[in-house]
Amino acid sequence: MIPPGARVWIALGHTDMRRGMQGLALQVQQGLKRDPHGGDLFVFRGRSGSLVKIIWHDGIGMSLYAKRIEKGRFVWPSAKEGTISLTASQLACLLEGIDWRNPRYSWRPASAG
């Protein structure tokens, strides 16, 4: 669950996935011009598209979350630099491998009539 008031930022382009918390926090600070200790979540994707890493500082310490998708790729914007803000729902879709830019319902309830 994303804490209230926290924003989710996708780092556009691809990131060297050998980086750990300190390297990604430095990229947030220098490359994205944001505060890595401000309580927002920052999402990074590797070149192959099958691995994402998220860093988040909760006010006490930095956390690193990594997820590798078994089939397919994580959907990512085509822009090469900058950031895009996501909602919690869009992040959930992204982490499931769903196209968060245009999610589609696969089932609709039947009308009661």
Side-chain angles (χ1 to χ4, degrees), residues 2 12 20 22 24 36 42 47-48 55 58 61 67 76-77 89 92 98 105:
I2 298 173
L12 301 178
Q22 291 82 6
L24 294 173
F42 297 93
R47 184 179 299 272
S48 72
I55 61 168
D58 64 0
K67 182 170 184 176
W76 219 250
S89 298
I98 299 169
Y105 293 101

Side-chain angles (χ1 to χ4, degrees), residues 10 74-77 84-86 89-91 93-94 98-103:
I10 286 186
F74 291 105
V75 177
W76 219 250
I84 291 179
S85 179
L86 296 183
S89 298
Q90 289 172 323
L91 177 62
C93 286
L94 183 145
I98 299 169
D99 187 347
W100 54 272
R101 299 167 299 183
N102 189 21

Side-chain angles (χ1 to χ4, degrees), residues 31-89:
L32 306 178
K33 306 293 187 226
R34 300 207 179 269
D35 179 10
H37 301 96
D40 291 342
L41 286 81
F42 297 93
V43 186
F44 303 89
R45 188 184 85 156
R47 184 179 299 272
S48 72
S50 63
L51 176 65
V52 295
K53 287 186 177 181
I54 301 172
I55 61 168
W56 171 59
H57 195 282
D58 64 0
I60 298 171
M62 181 92 46
S63 298
L64 174 67
Y65 172 80
K67 182 170 184 176
R68 183 176 309 277
I69 198 166
E70 301 271 331
K71 294 180 181 174
R73 299 171 55 164
F74 291 105
V75 177
W76 219 250
S78 59
K80 300 291 181 204
E81 57 185 44
T83 59
I84 291 179
S85 179
L86 296 183
T87 65
S89 298

